[in-house]
Amino acid sequence: MERAFEQLRLAPIKSVNGVVTLPGSKSLSNRILLLAALCEGETKVTNLLDSDDIRHMLAALAEMGVTVSLNADKTEALVKGQGGRLLTPVAPLFLGNAGTAFRPLTAVLASTVGEFTLTGEPRMEERPIGHLVDALIDLGAEIEYLKNRDYPPLKITGKRLVGGKVAIDGSISSQFLTALLMAAPLFAGDSEIHIKGDLVSKPYIDITLGVMHQFGVQVENDNYQVFRVKGNQQYQSPGEILVEGDASSASYFVAAAAIAGGEIEIRGVGKNSVQGDIGFAKVMEQVGAKIDWFDDKIVVRKGDLNGVDIDANAIPDAAMTLATVALFAKGPTAIRNIYNWRVKETDRLAAMATELKKVGATVLEGHDFIEIEPPQQFVVTDIDTYNDHRIAMCFSMLAVGGIEVIINDPKCTAKTFPTYFEVLESISQR
Ligand SMILES: O=C(O)C1=C[C@@H](OP(=O)(O)O)[C@@H](O)[C@H](O)C1
Ligand SMILES: C=C(OP(=O)(O)O)C(=O)O
């Protein structure tokens, strides 16, 4: 479906003040929904994210006979676990551009009896999945590429896999390992998963292991190189489970307070967050932000901002925010080891470089890094967002830094944060 193309003009913002309560984490919401659907028993999920990525997971589960009751604002769900049994859907499962739906469902459905076709938006057809499919095929799965080898859409003839020893390439996306780990307890026998290549986005594996643990499954993790999972297990409902606030979404408010001045209290993540992207706030302390840390919130104020040179492999999503913070820091900023920006919602390295140059920055785009020097003089312009929620949200930092900006297609934030611009408005003073 074509979305009407809109533009949003953001006038310069003088300061930001107030409280932001974060929507639930995308990564946690989709993992929890899937395990709640697979487990035995009913699960009440609170602070669920209501966004496109979650909607796609919910729709897929409904197609496969899972009953989920949502409250009025869709932030609470009661999921009736199916004990591992899923119905063969009558139509293809359309998963939009949601990696956290597409990859885990591929592995779980490959090991569930039935016929499943998984499709997505055009960009999903350009996002690789070969490393996951290779590992599943090595385990005996039947998966067919319906268009191009190594890319969605897929046709899966699911059957109970026996498990065993398998290697998976971790160098492009951690979601492949996440998917395999989540499916492994459903296999008939035990499995031993070996990582090929350097595992990227490692903290997301901790999120996966944490959620599996909450649903009663332990995984033996040998230094993120070998994972051992017992087969023939049933996930068990934790009864009630709270989705932590989204740490990647927090990055925009951390950055806003650091750039604009004022004070923002960000509720929903804190010093013990299970999400790696909380690490962005630590990077921002290095940049110069003043942050107070609490158990379930952080409070952020402005400081003197200086460019940094960081390896951002562990925080690929939040690190995008640093690229626009760089516009307001003294000296250059380098963000390294982020090759997989190129295979996400868009080629994020190319897109970021293009848009940063448009506003006047000097940018070096490498194969797996970006270096940014702040503009001598800002150019007021419109920003193309490439159907990438994070580009839209990142470039709102221009207004926060006192530069008028026009965001093209602002509704693309619906992937993870449909109300982003309203929340930003609610804390902005002009
Ligand atoms: O597992 C997850 O929830 C995610 C893992 C990351 O992807 P990669 O492992 O592909 O880097 C991240 O970028 C994505 O937004 C969410
Ligand atoms: C990369 C992202 O999404 P996905 O879960 O589709 O990979 C993202 O949200 O930045």
Side-chain angles (χ1 to χ4, degrees), residues 165-236:
K165 202 166 165 175
V166 68
I168 188 162
D169 194 315
S171 63
I172 287 291
S173 172
S174 70
Q175 290 179 0
F176 305 150
L177 173 60
T178 280
L180 202 52
L181 286 167
M182 288 172 88
L186 313 176
F187 301 164
D190 301 349
S191 38
E192 189 176 288
I193 304 168
H194 290 250
I195 304 303
K196 282 194 285 193
D198 287 334
L199 177 61
V200 296
S201 307
K202 240 187 225 163
Y204 288 96
I205 299 305
D206 293 326
I207 298 183
T208 304
L209 300 181
V211 174
M212 288 173 71
H213 178 76
Q214 284 175 291
F215 281 85
V217 168
Q218 305 335 315
V219 174
E220 209 183 292
N221 168 5
D222 196 347
N223 204 21
Y224 300 88
Q225 284 303 305
V226 184
F227 296 83
R228 290 181 194 86
V229 191
K230 291 244 170 300
N232 199 23
Q233 296 196 70
Q234 182 78 258
Y235 283 110
Q236 300 299 329

Side-chain angles (χ1 to χ4, degrees), residues 308-316 319 322 332-341 349 364-372:
V308 288
D309 188 325
I310 63 154
D311 180 329
N313 194 273
I315 56 164
L322 184 62
T333 293
I335 309 171
R336 303 193 189 280
N337 203 4
I338 46 164
Y339 170 77
N340 75 359
W341 273 22
L349 268 164
L364 177 63
E365 176 198 339
H367 170 72
D368 66 350
F369 68 88
I370 187 165
E371 289 175 5
I372 304 143

Side-chain angles (χ1 to χ4, degrees), residues 26 97 99 127 175 317 344-345 348 389-390 415:
K26 167 197 78 170
N97 195 8
R127 297 183 66 188
Q175 290 179 0
D317 294 357
K344 296 186 187 269
E345 279 72 339
R348 288 176 164 173
H389 53 139
R390 299 204 190 282
K415 188 174 190 286

Side-chain angles (χ1 to χ4, degrees), residues 354-402:
T354 304
E355 300 310 306
L356 288 164
K357 282 181 201 162
K358 270 166 61 178
V359 301
T362 305
V363 180
L364 177 63
E365 176 198 339
H367 170 72
D368 66 350
F369 68 88
I370 187 165
E371 289 175 5
I372 304 143
E373 278 191 51
Q376 312 236 300
Q377 177 127 37
F378 277 97
V379 179
V380 172
T381 182
D382 61 321
I383 296 297
D384 290 321
T385 50
Y386 309 82
N387 208 10
D388 185 341
H389 53 139
R390 299 204 190 282
I391 294 192
M393 296 189 277
C394 283
F395 277 89
S396 65
M397 291 310 127
L398 279 166
V400 170

